[in-house]
Amino acid sequence: MIIDIHAHAAGEYSTVDSLKLVAAKYGIEKIGLCTSPKNIQTLQTPPDMPFTQKPDSIYMMNRFNRLAYRHFLKGDGEGNRYVSELRNRLPELVIPFLWVDPLDGGHMERLEENLRTCRPGGIKLHQAWNPFRIDGVEFKHLIDVATSYKLPVFIHVYSKKEVLKLLRFIKENPDAVFIIGHLTGTGLFSTSGVSLKNIYFDTSSSKRIQGNDIKQAIEAFGYEHIVFGTDTPYAGIDRQIERIEGLKLPDRIKEHIFSLNARSLLAVD
């Protein structure tokens, strides 16, 4: 069975029926689900970029994403509420991740209330969409709250500069638990000398990440710190699974990446 730790309530994961169909097709046991940008449920898998991509090309893509979020995407409802409703209808499948913008006063004022009412499995932060700074007081407060609730924080990091800030933060806050989206900054993490005992790396991406990049992450951080995600609908589920299978890893390592690491991280019974 598979736990997809990183997905959005859009495209193939936008409705109760589509969630059930996809889960049955791929043997997905649990889905770590957060809202899509501005709760646009009709988003689909984007076209492939017409140039060679590498893991660090995410920094360039983040600039385009931030531009799109500011100027081209129109909001369509309250995403966290929608995800919570999906969980209420599919409690055996959906694990909500509460999307928080640390710069949104409403988000921060209602943070603990939402944690109690939505009962998420984690918190989702996205610097490409929400331009908060890791050295900001808002970020520190949010992580303190998440740590007190024993919740992992899934973070999409915007730039190398912010990765370095995150490393300093991890060094000073060793009890905080982070899931780093898209294997971002693995080169910086692996040479930092900072203890990464509470840090996990999500495998999802389009063509930016190849199987060899995942293999290098396993070697650098240990397979116990790699978790499987699809980033649906922004990358195809088939491709995400095939990339892991193509590594020809021992079954016990694949089981940890596909399921056991996330099961422990999210306290899945």
Side-chain angles (χ1 to χ4, degrees):
M1 298 296 285
I2 292 173
I3 294 179
D4 180 357
I5 204 168
H6 181 196
H8 300 267
E12 292 178 283
Y13 281 172
S14 61
T15 69
V16 169
D17 288 341
S18 64
L19 281 161
K20 290 166 67 174
L21 284 172
V22 173
K25 179 179 179 180
Y26 294 102
I28 297 173
E29 177 186 9
K30 300 284 185 181
I31 300 170
L33 194 67
C34 67
T35 182
S36 67
K38 295 192 176 179
N39 197 34
I40 302 173
Q41 297 156 32
T42 55
L43 291 173
Q44 301 294 327
T45 304
D48 288 330
M49 294 293 104
F51 51 81
T52 301
Q53 299 183 65
K54 297 181 179 180
D56 280 359
S57 65
I58 191 170
Y59 301 128
M60 179 179 66
M61 294 305 301
N62 283 338
R63 297 182 181 182
F64 293 120
N65 285 337
R66 185 170 288 181
L67 181 68
Y69 192 83
R70 285 177 172 175
H71 301 290
F72 301 109
L73 298 181
K74 295 181 64 176
D76 187 20
E78 216 297 305
N80 286 324
R81 184 179 298 118
Y82 184 73
V83 172
S84 185
E85 290 170 357
L86 288 173
R87 187 272 307 281
N88 291 341
R89 296 182 66 184
L90 292 172
E92 75 287 351
L93 179 60
V94 172
I95 299 176
F97 270 65
L98 185 74
W99 186 298
V100 179
D101 176 4
L103 300 180
D104 186 317
H107 277 202
M108 297 302 287
E109 289 172 9
R110 298 190 301 271
L111 178 59
E112 295 200 57
E113 175 187 348
N114 286 335
L115 291 177
R116 291 190 293 268
T117 58
C118 296
R119 295 172 290 116
I123 291 174
K124 175 66 181 286
L125 301 178
H126 203 304
Q127 281 193 301
W129 303 119
N130 305 129
F132 64 90
R133 298 188 312 176
I134 288 173
D135 57 356
V137 294
E138 302 89 353
F139 180 81
K140 178 65 166 67
H141 174 63
L142 189 153
I143 301 304
D144 285 346
V145 173
T147 302
S148 71
Y149 278 79
K150 298 182 178 179
L151 291 174
V153 175
F154 192 112
I155 183 167
H156 180 121
V157 189
Y158 183 71
S159 65
K160 288 184 179 180
K161 182 178 180 180
E162 292 296 307
V163 170
L164 292 171
K165 290 181 184 179
L166 182 57
L167 277 164
R168 289 194 291 272
F169 186 93
I170 291 167
K171 184 177 182 179
E172 296 168 359
N173 299 269
D175 292 333
V177 180
F178 288 100
I179 306 166
I180 312 300
H182 315 301
L183 298 181
T184 300
T186 51
L188 295 173
F189 277 95
S190 64
T191 59
S192 67
V194 174
S195 172
L196 303 175
K197 65 183 180 68
N198 288 325
I199 309 303
Y200 300 80
F201 297 87
D202 152 59
T203 63
S204 69
S205 87
S206 55
K207 289 186 176 180
R208 269 195 322 274
I209 293 175
Q210 303 300 319
N212 191 53
D213 299 310
I214 296 174
K215 189 173 182 179
Q216 289 177 3
I218 294 170
E219 293 170 352
F221 309 111
Y223 64 83
E224 303 92 341
H225 290 265
I226 309 300
V227 288
F228 176 77
T230 65
D231 199 20
T232 298
Y234 303 106
I237 298 173
D238 296 89
R239 180 182 294 171
Q240 310 301 309
I241 295 174
E242 290 168 0
R243 192 164 46 197
I244 303 294
E245 293 288 359
L247 295 177
K248 308 298 182 184
L249 298 168
D251 288 343
R252 67 181 181 85
I253 293 181
K254 287 195 297 183
E255 186 178 14
H256 273 81
I257 294 172
F258 276 130
S259 177
L260 294 183
N261 296 337
R263 181 178 294 276
S264 174
L265 182 57
L266 301 178
V268 174
D269 294 332

